[in-house]
Amino acid sequence: MTPNNRIALSSDHSAIQLRRAIADHIEAQGWVVSDIGPMTPESTHYPEHGAAAARLVASGDCHLGIILCGTGQGIMMAANKVKGIRCGVCGDTFSARMIREHNDANILSIGARVVGEGLALEIVDAFLKARFEGGRHATRVDMISALEE
Ligand code: RB5
């Protein structure tokens, strides 16, 4: 069974500082963070970090994931290649809430060069507090999943 309080967290080199701020922020709320790096600032490859976080979520080792790169876009594209992952990039709190309520997103992506730390933490809170509404939205999410077959 998925540990429902464990969050996979990863980034590329461009987002290490914001990733650490997010880790501190959500750990203070009681979430258990699987921070899979990177820990040092050398240039690295966002597809590897997006895939690593996505695999932790897809396997059930983590309930949700939060991933970051400069724009949030590249790492989101990589994560969405892993079967079972629904990841969206958010730069506002409304979208962060809606990708869970309507799209049952299991990973949030943020652009560390796009949003400041204060807004990023509010985006994270909106994502983590929201719940999937099911109903007509479940039909549509099932249609997304069917595209993986
Ligand atoms: C790294 O320079 C940058 O390309 C990466 O962080 C990200 O923005 C890609 O989508």
Side-chain angles (χ1 to χ4, degrees):
M1 193 174 127
T2 305
N4 63 7
N5 66 339
R6 185 170 288 278
I7 306 287
L9 188 60
S10 80
S11 74
D12 71 358
H13 55 280
S14 70
I16 291 174
Q17 192 177 333
L18 181 55
R19 194 187 82 236
R20 288 182 175 150
I22 291 171
D24 290 345
H25 181 71
I26 65 177
E27 279 174 345
Q29 297 173 357
W31 294 96
V32 176
V33 174
S34 291
D35 188 344
I36 51 178
M39 302 304 172
T40 55
E42 294 81 28
S43 184
T44 183
H45 305 300
Y46 60 80
E48 294 173 356
H49 304 295
R55 289 186 185 117
L56 281 179
V57 174
S59 68
D61 289 336
C62 290
H63 177 52
L64 295 169
I66 301 171
I67 57 178
L68 307 98
C69 65
T71 59
Q73 300 291 350
I75 200 164
M76 172 273 291
M77 292 177 196
N80 275 322
K81 294 295 183 186
V82 175
K83 188 174 179 181
I85 294 305
R86 289 175 300 281
C87 175
V89 181
C90 293
D92 64 274
T93 58
F94 177 76
S95 298
R97 176 166 65 84
M98 295 302 286
I99 64 168
R100 283 200 74 198
E101 290 185 356
H102 285 194
N103 311 119
D104 200 17
N106 45 19
I107 299 187
L108 165 70
S109 182
I110 297 176
R113 293 174 177 159
V114 181
V115 299
E117 182 178 313
L119 177 56
L121 297 181
E122 291 192 7
I123 289 169
V124 165
D125 287 346
F127 178 75
L128 295 179
K129 280 180 192 154
R131 295 288 177 272
F132 182 48
E133 290 179 357
R136 70 186 189 282
H137 304 299
T139 304
R140 295 161 186 165
V141 170
D142 287 346
M143 292 169 74
I144 295 174
S145 300
L147 295 172
E148 294 177 331
E149 303 305 330

